[in-house]
Amino acid sequence: MITIEKAKELFLIDQQLKGNTEITISNYDRFIDYFIHFLGSDKMIDTLTLQDIKKYQIYLMDKDKNYNFETDLKKKISKTTIQTYMRAVRVFINWLYKEGYIAENIGEKYKLPKAPKKVVEILSEEEIAKIYKAINDNTEFGLRNKCMISLMLDSGLRRDEVITLNIENVHFTQNVIKVTGKGQKDRIVPMGLYTKKLLFKYVNGYRPMPDYPTNRLFLSQEKTPVSADVIKMIIYRLKKKTKIERLTPHLLRHTFATRYLINGGDTFSLQMILGHTSLEMTRRYSHLASSYTVKNFKNLSTLDKLKGRNIHL
């Protein structure tokens, strides 16, 4: 038998053979590593039990969130994050059973923890303006940060898609970006004129193509590709400056999708832009857009219109 650490290495090789993206494999590596750290890297696979998985979930529920930058913020790991971590563990456990490393399919017996289904409150126009005012784009990294925020808010890119975007995939003459999304699937995403202007300034002012040994568009201070932690830090600082506590990369994407429909876009083209595999995934934004349209009820209310025309009711 092998240790859980060695099993993880074999699992990750299998993920590469499947053709999973670099980001997906990196996430599996990180999430399963948390589980291994809890159990001990020398734990033998054949001693793994359902109780080990349940104990790990309880441990996560009581754990403070880690930040890879200096902060005085103390916060418990969210239920949604716990669900994400546990889902990765379950995929790993199911793989162990399929490969014959464990005799019992304990992954099938384990039920994922429930995460709350919250109604997404998208960013208002005033909040968007506040975010942009909080970023000084007269500096290299201020401009870079505004570009990354704009790609999520105005083109609907995922955080990981922004990180892995290559410089040659930004097509200024056509106003589009080629994005490699989940499952290594490419798609073409439109680029607004304001986002185009920001990217053009960044590429020509701070990111000339031949000067760096990487094709990634966005670079850190060390001239290496930005990581997820860089975006986490940017979002954290924007939260403090703007007081918009619910701000996340995914909220930027949610705001793009909902406002796209509110402004007259259709669900089919939105599906293509977001890179969703089914229209059902995109339809949830239709419900959200409808909810926000209700805010204009004063223009649609029969009684309000009659009162506006001074008709006695």
Side-chain angles (χ1 to χ4, degrees):
M1 263 304 154
I2 59 172
T3 63
I4 193 166
E5 180 69 47
K6 292 295 180 187
K8 185 198 78 170
E9 289 175 24
L10 288 168
F11 170 77
L12 295 177
I13 291 169
D14 238 25
Q15 299 311 303
Q16 285 178 290
L17 289 170
K18 281 183 178 179
N20 279 339
T21 64
E22 190 181 313
I23 292 284
T24 299
I25 294 168
S26 174
N27 284 339
Y28 273 135
D29 189 10
R30 189 158 54 93
F31 299 156
I32 296 167
D33 216 42
Y34 297 154
F35 181 52
I36 291 171
H37 181 74
F38 172 75
L39 295 174
S41 58
D42 57 349
K43 184 176 178 68
M44 304 304 289
I45 280 299
D46 59 340
T47 65
L48 193 63
T49 66
L50 183 60
Q51 283 302 109
D52 289 328
I53 304 170
K54 289 179 177 178
K55 284 177 184 176
Y56 175 59
Q57 183 186 321
I58 293 167
Y59 161 77
L60 288 177
M61 288 163 69
D62 197 45
K63 186 171 165 43
D64 287 331
K65 189 174 180 180
N66 285 331
Y67 292 91
N68 292 328
F69 48 88
E70 196 173 328
T71 171
D72 54 1
L73 191 64
K74 284 215 168 184
K75 205 174 179 183
K76 295 292 180 190
I77 299 175
S78 72
K79 289 181 180 178
T80 303
T81 301
I82 291 172
Q83 189 187 69
T84 301
Y85 289 175
M86 297 309 300
R87 185 179 285 112
V89 168
R90 192 170 70 172
V91 169
F92 177 52
I93 300 295
N94 287 339
W95 176 86
L96 290 173
Y97 175 74
K98 186 182 170 187
E99 294 293 311
Y101 290 111
I102 55 176
E104 187 184 5
N105 190 0
I106 55 178
E108 193 178 57
K109 292 182 177 180
Y110 172 72
K111 288 186 179 180
L112 283 173
K114 289 184 179 179
K117 289 186 179 179
K118 296 178 181 177
V119 175
V120 179
E121 188 185 343
I122 64 168
L123 294 165
S124 67
E125 290 178 356
E126 293 76 19
E127 287 174 322
I128 293 169
K130 196 183 286 187
I131 290 166
Y132 276 75
K133 282 176 186 173
I135 306 172
N136 178 14
D137 59 14
N138 290 320
T139 67
E140 175 182 352
F141 296 109
L143 181 58
R144 179 203 67 183
N145 297 349
K146 195 170 270 193
C147 286
M148 293 195 292
I149 294 292
S150 297
L151 286 171
M152 291 183 274
L153 184 61
D154 201 45
S155 293
L157 269 64
R158 300 177 178 95
R159 181 196 65 186
D160 291 346
E161 291 168 348
V162 172
I163 292 168
T164 57
L165 182 62
N166 285 340
I167 192 168
E168 67 271 16
N169 288 337
V170 180
H171 302 292
F172 290 109
T173 54
Q174 297 164 283
N175 295 340
V176 296
I177 302 161
K178 189 173 101 172
V179 177
T180 302
K182 289 184 176 179
Q184 295 281 38
K185 291 176 182 175
D186 289 342
R187 68 183 192 277
I188 300 298
V189 171
M191 172 173 45
L193 290 176
Y194 182 67
T195 301
K196 176 181 176 177
K197 178 185 172 182
L198 292 172
L199 286 170
F200 193 84
K201 280 174 69 178
Y202 177 70
V203 168
N204 291 282
Y206 300 108
R207 184 60 180 86
M209 197 181 295
D211 286 10
Y212 304 106
T214 175
N215 288 338
R216 293 285 188 257
L217 175 58
F218 298 114
L219 302 180
S220 67
Q221 288 180 320
E222 293 75 31
K223 302 305 176 190
T224 56
V226 296
S227 64
D229 286 333
V230 170
I231 292 187
K232 280 181 188 174
M233 184 176 65
I234 292 164
I235 295 292
Y236 170 72
R237 287 176 177 171
L238 283 173
K239 278 183 182 181
K240 289 192 81 173
K241 280 186 179 180
T242 62
K243 309 297 182 191
I244 304 170
E245 285 300 319
R246 69 188 193 286
L247 184 61
T248 63
H250 209 63
L251 177 62
L252 296 171
R253 181 169 152 94
H254 270 303
T255 300
F256 159 77
T258 308
R259 289 194 172 279
Y260 181 85
L261 294 175
I262 290 171
N263 293 331
D266 63 279
T267 51
F268 181 74
S269 62
L270 180 61
Q271 180 191 355
M272 300 297 106
I273 293 168
L274 294 176
H276 285 164
T277 51
S278 72
L279 196 56
E280 195 58 43
M281 294 171 74
T282 314
R283 283 203 182 105
R284 59 184 172 173
Y285 292 111
S286 298
H287 300 308
L288 200 54
S290 298
S291 300
Y292 276 89
T293 305
V294 171
K295 285 189 173 182
N296 296 321
F297 187 65
K298 62 181 181 182
N299 300 321
L300 305 171
S301 167
T302 300
L303 296 181
D304 287 359
K305 280 189 172 184
L306 291 173
K307 289 295 285 182
R309 285 157 53 192
N310 293 321
I311 293 175
H312 182 70
L313 296 175

